[in-house]
Amino acid sequence: MRYKLDLDIEEVNTDRRDFLRRAATVGGLAIAPGVILYQTGAAKPADQAVSSQQRWGMLVNTNVCQEDCDACVTACNEEHGLWDLGRPETDAQWIRKLNVKDKQTGHVTSLPMMCQHCENPPCVDVCPTGASFRREDGIVLVDKHTCIGCRYCMLACPYKARSFVHEPLQDQLPHSPRGKGCVESCTLCVHKVDRGDNNTACAEACAKDGHQALLFGDLNDPSSEISKQLKQHGGTQIRADLGLNTGVRYQGI
Amino acid sequence: METTRFSSIDANSLQYWILLGGLALATLVGVLAAHHMDLEGHHISGMSNQIVWGFPHVAAIFLIIAASGALNVASISSVFGKTDYKPLARMSGLLAIALLVGGLAILVLDLGRPDLLIVAMTKYNFKSIFAWNIFLYTGFIVITVIYLWMMMERKMNKFIKVTGFAAFLWRLILTTGTGSIFGFLVARQAYDAAIMAPLFVIMSFAFGMATFILVLMASYKWTHRTLGDVMLSKLKNLLGIFVAAILYFVLAYHLANLYATEHHGIERFILLDGGIYTFLFWAGHIVIGCLVPLALVFIKPMSQSRGMTMLAAGLVIMGGIAQLYVIIIGGQAYPLVLFPGMEESSSFFDGVVAEYTPSIFELLLGFGGICLALAIVTVGIAILEFLPESLSDKALSLDSARSNSI
Ligand code: SF4
Ligand code: SF4
């Protein structure tokens, strides 16, 4: 029964096998300095490595985020095959809508909360096997081949951004492999990033609904829209006191 | 003059096999329960994405810290030169190993991917205190085995002191390491305290001593060997001192937390309105686990009764489990604060106290680990010479007179 995950992996198409192999490679080499060989699929030339020249991130404008909208959540669930089993306590949630109410004024801010892709991620620090890792380009991932499911990273994450896969999985999506007994969280749609989409499923859905509350981009590129926005209007980190230098920033909080 | 005579216990009685059979069965049931959770996925447990460490962790961490405390008796004799305790040193080493193995078995079986244990043993992230603990635990077993060997092999006796000292240091680091697992969780209000590590050390002293007393009393009673009042009252007094020290550290911990405004929420939760956690804290940990045992151990006439000593040790264990339940599960149940001073709500249980009720599988797994530890002791004392034939007052005075004269 335990080998189910591996069998599943063999069944799916090459794309996903490649992803897993890559993920494993990165997991193994994550501590090596400099360039990490993270070969990607068709969209990106194989010789082009993931590098620290980029730092992928996200800007959330809570001023335009609607309290009753959860398009980003639905899009994420569909993109990654996070099927709702009707058990909210144990179902995976990579992104959630959080309502924050000021007790004094009664003002409610609604915002999406997900892995903040910390530059100094506590989840990576505590992971005993190194399964939690941060790619050179700032995306924090879990290597499904080395995650033993100890859940220490879930305790360490200050944003409660991680979910444990509590049940056997069916109908997995090839580009977003999951594993029973492993921990997972927002991948910043790494498969889309590597494909060159330059966007995430949640940000696309938000834009499609006309809200434009989510902006994905390269924080290291001064000419990117996200950098310009941040430079002009600023952006806050949630729990900045922890000094994690998050890749997800918020406006309007 | 005669030295302590050790002998293995007679394993040919029906009672022995019933005991061992019962322990083995309970262990097996625990393994099966874990296997079932593994097949079905952890959703059948009481755990969730909010409470990620449940009852198995409570039981496992209890056993692990009790293990390092169980080695106390041996340390007192070889490190601090209190020869009166020397006859008990072997048993103390055996119990330490057994408890640690029981605790580790639970931890491993509760992993999401126990089949990947080999990964845990071969890939290390040296920044992780958890990875360090894997070394500390295996190292503890190795050092204690060597220490036992030095004690049991006459030729090697001269190394007792140095191996004993190594084991003593190692186990202090080990418990500090276990406490630090929580101390490193900076974002969690309940754990963000440096005092966590020394608190765990002192808890280990008390839990280890309580377990040692119970196991010792039971094995002497069931094998009809004599356990004198002198030895027992020494152990009992030590237990009392350790329990008093826990009270002191817990007081310091909560006072320090009350001093920092950001921790008022969690303090209120544990001390006042946390429901089951508040109840377990006051009734379980403070009253049953500390105050009652202190009275039983130090106040006459209770302090003169063996039955009461046994009860005190049992209560310290129960109170210890309650205390760990409050620390481990209560600490997770209290909501993470993302926006201090604001009210948070979401579909992911932000801002609300997480629910947790242990499932039968988790209880069986935790209980199975405890039984595994006891089974190891039961087998150990039957095959090797761990127990002194007599711990009567007379035998002890002869023994210590002899040691002192060397
Ligand atoms: S938000 Fe949590 S899961 Fe994401 S990188 Fe930071 S600590 Fe890790
Ligand atoms: S659950 Fe997996 S990713 Fe998280 S700390 Fe444990 S091994 Fe690392």
Side-chain angles (χ1 to χ4, degrees), chain A residues 1-2 5 89 91 93 96 99 101 124-128 148-152 155 158 160 164 166 180, chain B residues 38-39 41-43 49 52-53 110 112-113 115 125 127-129 181 188 338 343 345-348 350:
Chain A
M1 206 48 206
R2 264 288 149 212
L5 176 75
E89 285 91 357
D91 282 346
Q93 294 192 40
R96 62 190 192 267
N99 290 331
K101 186 171 161 190
V124 172
D125 285 351
V126 302
C127 176
I148 54 174
C150 70
R151 316 187 283 281
Y152 194 23
L155 277 175
K160 230 169 67 153
F164 178 72
H166 281 80
K180 181 184 77 169
Chain B
D38 195 25
L39 284 183
H42 271 64
H43 73 91
N49 284 326
V52 302
W53 286 357
D110 188 52
R113 305 281 315 268
D115 55 317
N125 165 22
K127 259 188 120 174
S128 168
I129 182 78
I181 289 180
R188 300 263 168 181
L338 291 180
E343 224 170 81
S345 63
S346 77
S347 59
F348 205 55
D350 286 279

Side-chain angles (χ1 to χ4, degrees), chain B residues 76-91:
Chain B
I76 298 172
S77 84
S78 43
V79 179
F80 300 108
K82 296 262 182 263
T83 40
D84 299 354
Y85 294 95
K86 207 170 145 206
L88 293 178
R90 295 180 181 186
M91 183 63 177

Side-chain angles (χ1 to χ4, degrees), chain A residues 10-251:
Chain A
E10 289 312 312
E11 281 158 20
V12 297
N13 66 29
T14 5
D15 213 340
R16 176 164 151 205
R17 271 212 297 274
D18 274 348
F19 174 85
L20 283 165
R21 202 175 303 134
R22 288 194 311 264
T25 316
V26 175
L29 296 177
I31 30 171
V35 178
I36 287 174
L37 277 183
Y38 184 91
Q39 297 185 330
T40 50
K44 200 173 184 182
D47 53 359
Q48 199 177 319
V50 170
S51 86
S52 54
Q53 273 164 5
Q54 275 111 24
R55 166 118 200 247
W56 299 114
M58 182 93 87
L59 177 61
V60 182
N61 184 351
T62 63
N63 295 312
V64 292
C65 178
Q66 305 295 313
E67 196 183 332
D68 54 0
C69 170
D70 64 353
C72 53
V73 178
T74 315
C76 176
N77 291 348
E78 270 166 22
E79 182 72 29
H80 298 282
L82 310 178
W83 315 127
D84 181 1
L85 297 163
R87 291 191 288 256
E89 285 91 357
T90 51
D91 282 346
Q93 294 192 40
W94 293 7
I95 182 171
R96 62 190 192 267
K97 280 302 295 292
L98 183 66
N99 290 331
V100 184
K101 186 171 161 190
D102 188 327
K103 284 183 219 161
Q104 186 69 37
T105 61
H107 177 76
V108 176
T109 313
S110 184
L111 51 90
M113 173 52 63
M114 65 291 222
C115 172
Q116 304 287 297
H117 298 278
C118 313
E119 190 185 355
N120 311 309
C123 59
V124 172
D125 285 351
V126 302
C127 176
T129 65
S132 281
F133 68 101
R134 183 181 175 275
R135 283 205 329 180
E136 287 286 292
D137 59 2
I139 302 182
V140 175
L141 296 171
V142 177
D143 177 350
K144 307 283 184 292
H145 282 308
T146 44
C147 172
I148 54 174
C150 70
R151 316 187 283 281
Y152 194 23
C153 55
M154 299 178 75
L155 277 175
C157 172
Y159 306 96
K160 230 169 67 153
R162 300 201 145 190
S163 292
F164 178 72
V165 181
H166 281 80
E167 49 269 302
L169 298 164
Q170 273 118 32
D171 307 325
Q172 287 202 61
L173 300 178
H175 57 260
S176 187
R178 307 174 62 202
K180 181 184 77 169
C182 291
V183 167
E184 52 185 27
S185 53
C186 158
T187 63
L188 217 57
C189 281
V190 65
H191 61 292
K192 284 167 69 65
V193 174
D194 287 347
R195 200 157 71 192
D197 287 9
N198 208 20
N199 212 346
T200 62
C202 53
E204 281 170 357
C206 183
K208 195 156 156 260
D209 272 25
H211 301 312
Q212 314 278 8
L214 294 172
L215 179 60
F216 171 84
D218 182 1
L219 299 169
N220 279 357
D221 174 5
S223 65
S224 68
E225 186 56 27
I226 188 170
S227 299
K228 287 190 206 152
Q229 283 279 341
L230 278 167
K231 184 156 188 208
Q232 203 174 351
H233 303 294
T236 325
Q237 303 181 48
I238 295 177
R239 295 237 36 199
D241 58 314
L242 296 173
L244 306 177
N245 190 13
T246 56
V248 179
R249 301 291 171 109
Y250 291 79
Q251 285 173 342

